[in-house]
Amino acid sequence: MNIPLGGGAGTVMKAGELFERALLGEKTAYEKWSLLNHEPIARFGYQNGITAPRLQKFLLDVFRQLHSQLPADYRDEQEAETALYKIAVSHLPVHCTKEQGSDDKQILRFEEDREIHLLIQELDEEVRIPLVLFYFHNKSIDELGNLLELPSHPVDNSIKEAIVTLQEKMHLQNREQVEKRLEFLGASYSRFTPSFNEEELFAEQETETSIEKAAIEPKAPVQKRTVAVIGLSSLFLLGVIGASFAMNDDNVETTAAAVENGEINKATVKAWKAEYKKIKESSPERLGITPKVYEKLEFVQRADEKFEKTLKKSNIKKFEDDPEALREQVAKLMLAIETPKGMLEALDQTTMEESETAEFMQSFALKTKELMGLADAVLLEHEDALSNAFSHGEFSAESIRVHKEKYPKEVGALVDSLNESMLFIQPHPTEKRFLTRRNMELFYSNQLYMQDIFGYQYIALLEGEPYFDGEDLLLPVEEMAFHLTQIERYLVDAAKNSNEAFDEFEEIFYQAFWLTLKGSEANPVFGSDGVVKENYQEAWNNLISDAANPLVFVMLPIIEEMEASGWRKSAHYDALAYPDISTALKMEQNGELAAKLPNGDVKIKPAFVDMKDFSYDQTKKLYSKFAANHDKSILKDVPPLDVLFMYHYANKIKDSETMWHLLAEDKLKPSIKEYKKEWKQQPDIAEEALWVEVYGDSLYRRKDELYLEPMINYQTENGRMPPSTVLVTKRDHIWLVKNQMYEAYSLGGKEKEYENLIASLYQAFSAEQEEALLESASPGEIAGVFLKAAEEEDYTTMYALLEEPAKTISLESFRHQVVTLDIPDFSSLKNLIFTLDMYEYEDDQRRGHVQLDFGSGSPESYEFYDFGIVETAKGWRMSDMNAY
């Protein structure tokens, strides 16, 4: 559960290189080695009751004592690690206090974790220390015996005693439940990354008091309510302070001196300090807050602390051989102290590596979160005065800015500062008050982030925050389902790049998921009839329709049981615990979850088929065997590409019956009679395609089904080719084709069959307006009649071809609407193509769209018109004209 001494793979090697030099007592090497190895020791101290502000002194005492024993004959770092833990154990009584840590809520953000953490502190030392080392530092019983200088048997008994005590105090049923809670606590501990001022190891010894004052706070994400520390009064400027800060020319070194290449001298350092001070002095006014409040902001304190540490003589000396590395650090610090708008402006003038863009956005996220907390406090304090902004049911920050004399001055200052803070104000979704969100619009025009998949994902997540307040979701539950799937994908994709901002969204994901599943007092899940409300049903189904494995793993059994009971009950839902989604996410990040899902063992072997060398000869044998009686068991474990070519071979020889049997069962699959009636032969893939390819990433999941969409490259791209056939498998390793309707017609050539049919259908229907005339017409034929009527300016027939829900306006209003639209003439068409939308809608209706081509057939002349068509009880009909 812990991070081993030496950190990850990249730092282990560095620690190894430093180790021998550190053993010889070389101070610089020992400082660096200590910095690499301090986190487990700091966590060990915290786990045993040392409060976060005292950890710096604890670490200094431990690492100083180890250094005082050098040079020592340690065979490897494992022995040095044991020595460190022995020293740490001896120093616990000196640094432990009985007081509860004031920052426990920042470090341990789950109430369940804080509960068991406090219970561990209450354990006697002789049982607490073995428990902590065994469960959170992966020490075996034998290792513990050596470390604590005790026989193995009493060590084992101490751990058992600790477990029994925790089980009783938490009223749990068995040891397994206690160990599960300890596992979750260990995950929270691992996210705690305490800092260490290693340069103080050999500095003049300071008093405990002065050290505690200078101690670096642990890296816990900024809490939204920073104002709890700062206070609610006079957060924002109540008047203009004056002109932006301007430094005395006698004290300013030019910016050029700070950024020039070469040796770093006193002038360079002085220029850096001047530039940093200039940004700091001007920022409070730009952010519209008082200097006193600004100085208490955590991002300011962090930046100041790091800036001072970076420009210490001892630190600068370390960069004598690599001055550019120090310049990069200072440049990041300048961004760290900048306002959010200042950060964005700097971003537009620089280039960054992918790792640097992630660090930049994390800094931006935590900074704006803190400023959102200040802004929300002001909005809450003046909510009565701001209630007038709702007078007409609408709100805009601009209206407050224009009429700010009507509101408290602090509100006006807040609104004026929104641009610099990169925030905006919007009404609370359920209460008559306001809240703030980030304004991420300008980031979407930044190529640096648009080309970075993680960066793009992260921007979208930041834009949606906050997702909930202390009591309920701040978004409709159906919409929250979409956001949860996006957050989940980010957490899965970016798991290897975990950082402070990543951890923040991990916590958001858990809390938002819980509210989406369990509801709130204001928005209960179950209606008065005991049935899950429809909006929750929709949201839960969305959670497994376009999600990664963790949400599917947790939600699938719940939904299956709910559906079976008429959405009244589910044993999995009743047993759902808050940490369950966390467990699923961790399993996915470790590559352990896919195998536990339906068809989790399905693997796709990459394949590339060059169609110029392709022949159906290899398909015919399997096809003949299947076509004899359409026994699907014959297809078990058959590669999906073989099924794809069987489907296309059946199309080539016009065997629509076998094509129907190769279709997967779903709500949209027509009866075999309907399918054969509306069947149209598709272009032959063997003649039209250049190549077909599948690869591992082609696979994706929806609910309990796996989907595969082969890539098909056609010889011509004029829109007449069908979209790639989608294959699907459920639980049986049998790949089938997702139901797909497709029609393609060429017009203006020698073959006039389609054009003659449309003319005949139009003439009959426009004269009689008999619905029965069109009952068996295909979507492509209905679209053709509609366009023919448009060409004839026959608005009555056009109106009759609309589905009923689209007829919300009168015929006369419809005529005026059509006149303003650029609906093409039927006689000018080159190609008309209909494609079925394969999404399964809640109303179980089949929908599709029509593409129209007026050009020469080349990609440049192809035009797309999204003419929606829907299947009704009367046959296919055109959907709402506004969609055109």
Side-chain angles (χ1 to χ4, degrees):
M1 294 182 190
N2 69 308
I3 297 176
L5 286 171
T11 56
V12 170
M13 183 178 67
K14 187 173 183 182
E17 293 172 352
L18 293 170
F19 181 62
E20 292 184 5
R21 292 161 55 191
L23 280 184
L24 297 174
E26 185 179 322
K27 289 184 176 181
T28 301
Y30 188 77
E31 281 182 352
K32 293 181 178 179
W33 184 81
S34 300
L35 183 61
L36 289 173
N37 292 283
H38 80 278
E39 286 188 4
I41 300 301
R43 291 194 187 105
F44 174 72
Y46 179 75
Q47 290 154 356
N48 281 279
I50 301 177
T51 58
R54 297 180 65 92
L55 288 177
Q56 170 71 7
K57 181 65 168 66
F58 171 68
L59 289 170
L60 288 173
D61 286 354
V62 171
F63 281 95
R64 281 172 178 166
Q65 182 171 332
L66 180 66
H67 185 265
S68 69
Q69 298 173 2
L70 299 179
D73 188 20
Y74 295 125
R75 289 172 298 178
D76 53 35
E77 283 189 279
Q78 183 64 43
E79 287 193 0
E81 175 187 329
T82 300
L84 265 179
Y85 274 108
K86 284 184 177 180
I87 295 169
V89 169
S90 69
H91 280 274
L92 286 177
V94 178
H95 295 279
C96 285
T97 61
K98 297 297 183 181
E99 62 190 40
Q100 183 178 343
S102 60
D103 43 17
D104 283 346
K105 287 188 177 181
Q106 290 183 315
I107 297 168
L108 304 173
R109 281 166 284 174
F110 289 133
E111 181 62 37
E112 294 90 341
D113 288 342
R114 293 197 295 273
E115 176 194 16
I116 192 171
H117 172 73
L118 292 176
L119 290 175
I120 289 173
Q121 311 312 304
E122 295 173 4
L123 295 172
D124 292 337
E125 181 181 282
E126 60 268 21
V127 297
R128 183 187 68 241
I129 292 174
L131 176 89
V132 166
L133 289 169
F134 182 78
Y135 282 101
F136 305 130
H137 295 261
N138 296 333
K139 301 298 180 186
S140 67
I141 298 297
D142 290 340
E143 287 176 310
L144 287 175
N146 178 41
L147 195 157
L148 300 173
E149 299 179 354
L150 291 170
S152 298
H153 184 67
V155 171
D156 189 32
N157 285 341
S158 294
I159 295 173
K160 291 178 180 177
E161 180 183 341
I163 292 293
V164 170
T165 303
L166 292 175
Q167 181 180 333
E168 291 175 351
K169 290 189 175 183
M170 291 189 293
H171 307 290
L172 298 177
Q173 295 179 354
N174 51 50
R175 175 173 180 147
E176 288 71 24
Q177 290 183 340
V178 180
E179 290 182 327
K180 196 68 175 176
R181 289 286 296 272
L182 290 172
E183 180 184 342
F184 291 131
L185 177 61
S188 291
Y189 281 147
S190 69
R191 290 192 287 269
F192 174 39
T193 54
S195 298
F196 179 39
N197 287 344
E198 79 284 355
E199 69 274 6
E200 293 185 14
L201 279 169
F202 305 111
E204 183 179 353
Q205 300 295 309
E206 302 174 81
T207 65
E208 180 174 325
T209 303
S210 63
I211 288 178
E212 285 189 30
K213 286 182 179 179
I216 295 178
E217 291 296 319
K219 288 184 181 177
V222 177
Q223 295 297 299
K224 181 88 182 241
R225 299 297 178 190
T226 304
V227 293
V229 177
I230 297 175
L232 280 173
S233 61
S234 302
L235 287 174
F236 282 74
L237 298 174
L238 300 183
V240 178
I241 288 181
S244 296
F245 175 78
M247 296 187 64
N248 187 313
D249 290 341
D250 294 335
N251 296 325
V252 179
E253 299 291 339
T254 65
T255 302
V259 299
E260 66 184 0
N261 297 323
E263 180 187 358
I264 294 174
N265 52 36
K266 290 182 178 179
T268 309
V269 175
K270 193 174 182 181
W272 281 338
K273 290 180 177 180
E275 184 70 15
Y276 186 86
K277 185 178 180 182
K278 182 178 180 180
I279 296 171
K280 272 198 69 176
E281 294 282 357
S282 65
S283 289
E285 183 180 342
R286 286 186 283 153
L287 293 171
I289 57 179
T290 64
K292 182 179 179 180
V293 169
Y294 176 79
E295 288 292 341
K296 290 184 179 180
L297 292 173
E298 185 166 344
F299 83 80
V300 175
Q301 294 178 355
R302 283 189 182 188
D304 283 353
E305 189 177 90
K306 200 164 185 179
F307 189 75
E308 182 180 349
K309 177 181 175 181
T310 300
L311 293 189
K312 278 187 175 181
K313 289 182 180 179
S314 59
N315 188 65
I316 294 175
K317 186 175 178 62
K318 297 175 185 177
F319 290 89
E320 285 179 338
D321 297 331
D322 192 4
E324 289 311 306
L326 181 58
R327 291 183 193 279
E328 290 177 7
Q329 283 193 16
V330 172
K332 291 178 181 178
L333 285 169
M334 296 299 180
L335 287 175
I337 196 61
E338 258 293 3
T339 66
K341 184 64 177 295
M343 291 182 72
L344 181 64
E345 291 172 347
L347 182 65
D348 291 336
Q349 302 169 14
T350 187
T351 57
M352 291 184 182
E353 299 293 332
E354 183 175 320
S355 59
E356 294 175 315
T357 60
E359 186 179 346
F360 175 94
M361 190 54 72
Q362 291 150 23
S363 175
F364 177 89
L366 296 172
K367 188 178 298 183
T368 47
K369 189 175 184 70
E370 195 169 12
L371 293 173
M372 286 163 70
L374 292 182
D376 283 350
V378 172
L379 295 172
L380 188 62
E381 186 177 19
H382 298 292
E383 64 177 319
D384 290 340
L386 284 165
S387 63
N388 294 330
F390 287 97
S391 57
H392 300 294
E394 297 179 356
F395 164 78
S396 77
E398 185 60 31
S399 68
I400 291 184
R401 184 181 289 111
V402 172
H403 304 291
K404 60 184 178 183
E405 69 280 354
K406 298 180 180 179
Y407 302 97
K409 290 182 179 179
E410 209 173 11
V411 172
L414 165 62
V415 175
D416 287 340
S417 71
L418 291 175
N419 183 57
E420 194 71 32
S421 300
M422 292 194 68
L423 306 175
F424 67 90
I425 301 173
Q426 67 173 198
H428 191 283
T430 59
E431 302 175 23
K432 199 172 181 180
R433 62 183 180 87
F434 300 104
L435 51 79
T436 53
R437 294 190 188 276
R438 296 180 181 90
N439 183 358
M440 304 299 294
E441 183 178 351
L442 293 176
F443 279 101
Y444 286 108
S445 61
N446 186 280
Q447 291 301 312
L448 198 64
Y449 278 95
M450 290 305 97
Q451 295 170 4
D452 175 7
I453 179 63
F454 295 145
Y456 181 83
Q457 286 178 304
Y458 192 43
I459 288 171
L461 300 189
L462 292 176
E463 190 173 38
E465 196 185 6
Y467 296 95
F468 50 82
D469 57 18
E471 299 177 357
D472 202 1
L473 294 172
L474 293 174
L475 297 167
V477 67
E478 311 94 300
E479 188 177 334
M480 190 64 240
F482 167 78
H483 288 285
L484 278 170
T485 61
Q486 302 309 301
I487 298 173
E488 177 195 42
R489 290 191 184 282
Y490 171 75
L491 294 176
V492 170
D493 293 344
K496 294 181 180 179
N497 302 311
S498 179
N499 51 62
E500 188 173 341
F502 175 96
D503 293 341
E504 183 82 357
F505 268 99
E506 200 171 17
E507 305 297 340
I508 288 171
F509 179 66
Y510 301 152
Q511 181 68 19
F513 174 75
W514 188 254
L515 288 170
T516 302
L517 264 290
K518 294 297 183 177
S520 65
E521 187 174 338
N523 291 297
V525 169
F526 292 90
S528 58
D529 57 357
V531 177
V532 176
K533 293 179 180 178
E534 289 187 5
N535 59 331
Y536 280 100
Q537 291 184 32
E538 179 183 345
W540 296 358
N541 274 307
N542 288 342
L543 284 179
I544 58 173
S545 294
D546 191 25
N549 288 337
L551 283 173
V552 175
F553 178 74
V554 174
M555 291 302 304
L556 188 58
I558 291 175
I559 290 179
E560 287 178 342
E561 291 171 352
M562 281 291 184
E563 288 178 337
S565 70
W567 287 94
R568 290 180 178 276
K569 61 182 181 179
S570 160
H572 279 85
Y573 180 81
D574 294 338
L576 184 70
Y578 189 92
D580 286 352
I581 189 64
S582 170
T583 303
L585 183 64
K586 295 297 184 296
M587 290 170 65
E588 175 70 3
Q589 291 168 347
N590 294 331
E592 302 167 357
L593 191 58
K596 299 180 181 296
L597 292 167
N599 275 330
D601 57 344
V602 170
K603 304 294 182 185
I604 296 300
K605 186 177 180 180
F608 180 89
V609 179
D610 188 338
M611 298 304 290
K612 70 179 181 182
D613 299 324
F614 177 79
S615 168
Y616 280 121
D617 290 345
Q618 55 192 345
T619 304
K620 292 177 182 178
K621 182 177 180 181
L622 180 63
Y623 169 80
S624 298
K625 187 177 180 181
F626 177 75
N629 55 16
H630 301 123
D631 180 6
K632 290 186 175 61
S633 65
I634 294 171
L635 303 178
K636 187 175 179 61
D637 295 322
V638 171
L641 273 189
D642 290 356
V643 176
L644 174 74
F645 290 132
M646 282 176 59
Y647 179 79
H648 281 281
Y649 179 69
N651 170 72
K652 177 182 176 66
I653 64 174
K654 299 183 179 181
D655 182 358
S656 59
E657 182 174 354
T658 296
M659 290 181 74
W660 184 86
H661 282 285
L662 285 170
L663 294 180
E665 296 296 329
D666 61 37
K667 294 188 295 186
L668 300 182
K669 183 178 179 180
S671 67
I672 190 168
K673 181 178 179 181
E674 292 172 318
Y675 181 83
K676 294 175 76 170
K677 181 179 68 174
E678 63 188 17
W679 181 83
K680 298 269 190 307
Q681 188 176 31
Q682 299 178 14
D684 182 13
I685 190 173
E687 296 178 1
E688 301 291 347
L690 292 172
W691 50 260
V692 179
E693 182 178 17
V694 294
Y695 45 91
D697 290 343
S698 305
L699 201 65
Y700 60 94
R701 176 181 293 278
R702 286 181 183 168
K703 299 184 180 181
D704 58 343
E705 299 176 330
L706 290 180
Y707 288 78
L708 181 70
E709 187 170 348
M711 292 189 66
I712 303 176
N713 185 268
Y714 289 104
Q715 298 180 37
T716 57
E717 296 293 342
N718 61 4
R720 293 202 66 247
M721 294 300 106
S724 295
T725 305
V726 177
L727 296 120
V728 58
T729 184
K730 279 200 172 186
R731 303 172 187 264
D732 45 19
H733 289 212
I734 294 175
W735 287 97
L736 295 169
V737 175
K738 181 74 173 171
N739 179 43
Q740 177 183 354
M741 285 181 66
Y742 175 79
E743 297 177 60
Y745 303 100
S746 292
L747 293 85
K750 294 180 180 180
E751 299 294 332
K752 296 286 187 178
E753 181 180 349
Y754 175 68
E755 293 157 85
N756 293 336
L757 175 61
I758 296 303
S760 175
L761 284 174
Y762 168 69
Q763 184 175 8
F765 182 72
S766 61
E768 303 293 336
Q769 298 289 303
E770 286 288 340
E771 301 279 1
L773 293 171
L774 300 179
E775 277 185 4
S776 60
S778 71
E781 291 164 356
I782 292 293
V785 174
F786 185 81
L787 294 173
K788 183 68 175 177
E791 184 173 22
E792 299 294 334
E793 298 183 358
D794 181 356
Y795 305 111
T796 301
T797 297
M798 293 179 71
Y799 189 78
L801 289 171
L802 295 177
E803 64 166 331
E804 290 303 320
K807 297 177 181 178
T808 56
I809 58 176
S810 66
L811 174 59
E812 184 61 23
S813 297
F814 174 75
R815 185 183 70 81
H816 285 294
Q817 183 187 72
V818 170
V819 170
T820 64
L821 299 174
D822 183 22
I823 296 181
D825 292 340
F826 180 76
S827 60
S828 65
L829 291 179
K830 298 293 183 184
N831 296 293
L832 184 147
I833 301 98
F834 164 80
T835 306
L836 181 71
D837 183 349
M838 288 187 285
Y839 182 83
E840 296 180 17
Y841 293 91
E842 290 298 320
D843 57 13
D844 292 348
Q845 284 185 301
R846 292 194 293 176
R847 289 175 168 83
H849 59 264
V850 171
Q851 298 172 336
L852 308 176
D853 181 10
F854 300 92
S856 62
S858 67
E860 292 77 16
S861 66
Y862 182 72
E863 297 185 37
F864 174 76
Y865 282 77
D866 191 5
F867 282 177
I869 305 183
V870 60
E871 188 178 35
T872 72
K874 297 177 181 179
W876 288 89
R877 293 293 182 267
M878 308 301 289
S879 55
D880 192 351
M881 284 293 295
N882 288 322
Y884 303 168

